[in-house]
Amino acid sequence: MRAARLHRHGDALRIETVPTPMPLPGQVLVRVLACGICHTDVHVCRGDWRARAPLPLVPGHEIVGDVVAIGAGVADEMIGTRVGIFWLNETCGTCEYCRDGWESLCPRQINTGFGAAGGFAEYVTVSAAFAIPVPRELEPEIVAPLMCAGVSAFKAIRETELRAGDSLGIVGCGGVGHLAVAYAKAAGLHVIAFDRSDTALSLARALGADQTMQTTDADAVRTIKKTGGLHGVLVTAAHLDAIRFGIDLLRRKGTAVILGLPPGDATFPVFDVVVKRLTIRGSIGGTRADVVAALAIAGHAGIRSRVTLRGLDDVNAVLADVHEGRVLGRVVLKFE
Ligand SMILES: [Zn+2]
Ligand SMILES: [Zn+2]
C-alpha cells in the first residue's frame, strides 16, 4: 500500500510503498476513503510534546473507510461495514477511567496515528470495538473531520456545562473552531467567534455565529467585559496568548475549556480565578459514546464540515499550511 511515513521528527513525511498491515486478533483492516489533517498531526510530526511517537509512523486520526478484512474473533458481519476511526485506536477496558465512562483518559490507550499507524495510508488497522459505524449516505470526506475536530468540539462544549441561551466565546475558528460554532448553535448557545483572520470569521458567521471579533482588536476584551463577560469560552487556538485572552473574556463563575496544545506553559490570573470563581478545564478528544453522539447531532442539525480535498502526495504541503494557520476549515486527504 502507499503510505506517508515519518522517519525523523521535524522531517517531511516520505510517501512510500509498504506492506499492507494484517489485522491482529480483535482488529479489523480498513480501506481508507478519507482522512482529515489535524493540528495534532503537525505536533506529532514536529515532535512538539514531551511524549513522542515511536518511528517510523503513519500519522492521521480522522478516518472514514470500509472494513475489508477481520482478525480472529471478529464477527463476519463487520466485513463491508463503513466505519470511522478516531484518536482512540484501543484502550485497556479495565482501568478506573475505562470503567467509569472516561476511556479517553485511559493511561494505557493506544492512539491512531501516534502509537498505532494512522490514516495517511491506503489501509489501516483498528480494534473492532473502536471502529465506529458511519452512515453510507454521508460523504466520507464530510464525516472524516467529525472524528477528531467534530467530537473534540462537541465534547468541549459539554465540558463548559453551559445551558441554552448562555454565551460562548470560541477563540480560534480553524478546524475545531468552525465545527464548535456549528455544534454550539445546535445547542442553543449565543456564540461569539474570535480569530485573527477575516476569512475564518466569515466562515464562523456562515455557520451561525451571532457575533465575530478579531483577536487583534485591542478593544475586544473591553467590549465583551462591558456586557458582563461570557459564560464560557473554548480556546481552540494553539497559542499561549489565546489562553489568557479567553480567560479574560469570562464573567463571574465562567468556565474556560482549553483544547489547543501549544508547546510550553501558560500562566493564569490567580486573583481573577479565585475572586470570580472561574473554572479552567482541559478537554481532550472524546469517548466512543461522544463520537456516536457527535455524529448523530451532526446528522440531525445538518452540521457539515467545511473541507478542501487533497491527495496523499500533497500531505507535506498541507501540514505546512496547517502549521502556518493558512487552512480554512479542514483539509481532507481523499483516496481513490
Ligand atoms: Zn485531531
Ligand atoms: Zn483503561
Side-chain angles (χ1 to χ4, degrees):
M1 69 170 184
R2 296 182 77 230
R5 296 207 302 171
L6 180 70
H7 287 265
R8 202 172 67 177
H9 292 106
D11 283 2
L13 301 179
R14 282 192 228 155
I15 315 283
E16 299 171 313
T17 301
V18 298
T20 301
M22 294 281 288
L24 299 173
Q27 286 188 332
V28 295
L29 177 69
V30 173
R31 187 169 74 86
V32 178
L33 298 170
C35 183
I37 298 189
C38 175
H39 210 129
T40 291
D41 298 316
V42 174
H43 292 308
V44 168
C45 292
R46 290 167 55 91
D48 279 341
W49 302 330
R50 277 186 292 256
R52 283 180 159 208
L55 303 179
L57 173 71
V58 181
H61 57 270
E62 272 188 352
I63 305 164
V64 173
D66 290 331
V67 175
V68 291
I70 56 173
V74 177
D76 287 339
E77 296 87 75
M78 277 206 75
I79 292 184
T81 320
R82 170 85 32 105
V83 296
I85 303 175
F86 71 117
W87 181 236
L88 298 181
N89 201 272
E90 191 169 9
T91 63
C92 82
T94 56
C95 73
E96 63 179 291
Y97 305 101
C98 283
R99 279 189 276 113
D100 197 30
W102 280 93
E103 63 192 14
S104 48
L105 300 182
C106 173
R108 292 197 291 262
Q109 64 185 268
I110 296 170
N111 299 113
T112 310
F114 189 70
F120 296 174
E122 291 173 321
Y123 294 89
V124 62
T125 56
V126 63
S127 164
F130 284 80
I132 312 288
V134 162
R136 274 185 180 276
E137 308 81 75
L138 302 173
E139 309 97 299
E141 58 267 31
I142 298 296
V143 178
L146 300 180
M147 302 309 294
C148 180
V151 69
S152 300
F154 164 77
K155 176 72 164 189
I157 292 167
R158 272 205 173 163
E159 289 285 67
T160 63
E161 300 180 41
L162 297 191
R163 291 171 297 193
D166 286 346
S167 54
L168 177 69
I170 295 171
V171 182
C173 295
V176 176
H178 88 286
L179 284 168
V181 170
Y183 276 105
K185 286 316 295 175
L189 300 173
H190 182 82
V191 174
I192 301 108
F194 299 87
D195 202 287
R196 60 184 175 187
S197 141
D198 267 334
T199 45
L201 291 179
S202 22
L203 175 57
R205 277 191 294 277
L207 291 166
D210 299 281
Q211 203 182 336
T212 58
M213 294 179 90
Q214 290 224 326
T215 41
T216 48
D217 177 353
D219 286 332
V221 171
R222 207 171 331 135
T223 309
I224 294 294
K225 274 188 166 158
K226 253 186 245 163
T227 70
L230 306 178
H231 293 96
V233 166
L234 298 190
V235 184
T236 77
H239 295 287
L240 293 175
D241 293 348
I243 294 173
R244 179 59 192 264
F245 179 86
I247 293 169
D248 285 344
L249 299 170
L250 290 173
R251 68 169 60 201
R252 289 168 179 260
K253 202 167 164 286
T255 299
V257 175
I258 319 289
L259 297 93
L261 283 167
D265 294 327
T267 56
F268 65 91
V270 179
F271 189 86
D272 283 352
V273 169
V274 173
V275 172
K276 296 184 183 174
R277 195 272 194 190
L278 304 181
T279 302
I280 302 172
R281 180 175 284 176
S283 185
I284 173 81
T287 62
R288 283 171 286 179
D290 293 323
V291 173
V292 170
L295 286 170
I297 291 168
H300 296 148
I303 292 173
R304 290 179 67 83
S305 326
R306 179 66 57 95
V307 302
T308 308
L309 300 181
R310 302 287 288 269
L312 183 63
D313 292 313
D314 302 327
V315 67
N316 288 306
V318 178
L319 286 167
D321 286 345
V322 173
H323 180 57
E324 299 293 331
R326 289 192 297 256
V327 168
L328 184 65
R330 207 52 145 184
V331 176
V332 174
L333 301 179
K334 184 104 196 293
F335 292 78
E336 293 309 314

